[in-house]
Amino acid sequence: SGKRVAISDDGTVVAAASARDGAVTVFTADGRQIADIPSLPRPNDAGQTTYTGGVDFGPDGLLSVGSLAGPLRVFDPRAGMWLRTLAAPAYFSNVHLHIGADGIVVAVGQRGMLSLNATTGTTRWAVDLRGNDPDPSPWFAAPEPAAHPHLGRAYEQTHEASRHPGQPTRVSL
């Protein structure tokens, strides 16, 4: 199993989420371990052992950690402490996280995608992605400025979504 990795904007901190259980290890760029963050309990219906937690650093240097259970936890790697938890449905933050320069989070999981305000935790929108596909978005990219994140499915084209309402733009790549 692999890891999901995020690097702080200034390049000094690296976070790696275990693909197996969603635990996150945080290091300095020179390899000194800062924190070992345990995963949240798995939902009872969790069958997968991969894609168990997305990670990303915000422009403020804070680390957000997604989970199979749903909630995103915001961690300050410099202080070594949790700051807050942002509510999210199960399987909506376990695959990808992107925090834009404006502090807006786009989280993608195996059941859906949502957008949150990273500071207040307010949900801006949420979209169920399941349809007929058990893994609707194994690939995700959010160019800056992230007005239109791109979602990719196995053996299909990549589709663009609007970052603000979360709905497809009907652009395929």
Side-chain angles (χ1 to χ4, degrees):
S1 62
K3 297 235 183 210
R4 303 198 88 52
V5 176
I7 301 171
S8 63
D9 287 350
D10 65 5
T12 62
V13 183
V14 178
S18 168
R20 181 162 178 78
D21 67 3
V24 176
T25 304
V26 184
F27 298 92
T28 61
D30 63 4
R32 184 177 51 86
Q33 186 171 337
I34 297 173
D36 199 9
I37 301 169
S39 61
L40 291 176
R42 297 168 64 88
N44 291 334
D45 64 345
Q48 73 270 28
T49 58
T50 60
Y51 298 124
T52 58
V55 292
D56 197 17
F57 287 93
D60 54 7
L62 300 178
L63 174 67
S64 289
V65 178
S67 66
L68 284 168
L72 285 86
R73 296 172 291 162
V74 181
F75 183 77
D76 184 340
R78 290 174 291 286
M81 61 186 279
W82 292 109
L83 300 179
R84 59 190 161 274
T85 299
L86 309 178
Y91 304 99
F92 271 62
S93 70
N94 63 299
V95 181
H96 308 286
L97 287 183
H98 174 76
I99 304 171
D102 58 1
I104 299 301
V105 178
V106 175
V108 182
Q110 288 171 302
R111 293 188 181 167
M113 175 172 70
L114 77 154
S115 178
L116 303 162
N117 179 301
T119 302
T120 66
T122 304
T123 299
R124 301 176 66 223
W125 50 260
V127 177
D128 190 312
L129 296 174
R130 284 174 282 189
N132 296 323
D133 190 340
D135 191 6
S137 186
W139 298 282
F140 174 80
E144 282 292 342
H148 299 290
H150 298 96
L151 306 167
R153 295 181 181 198
Y155 313 111
E156 287 188 22
Q157 291 179 312
T158 298
H159 301 278
E160 181 181 84
S162 172
R163 183 169 173 253
H164 296 286
Q167 296 299 317
T169 63
R170 299 190 181 179
V171 172
S172 294
L173 308 173

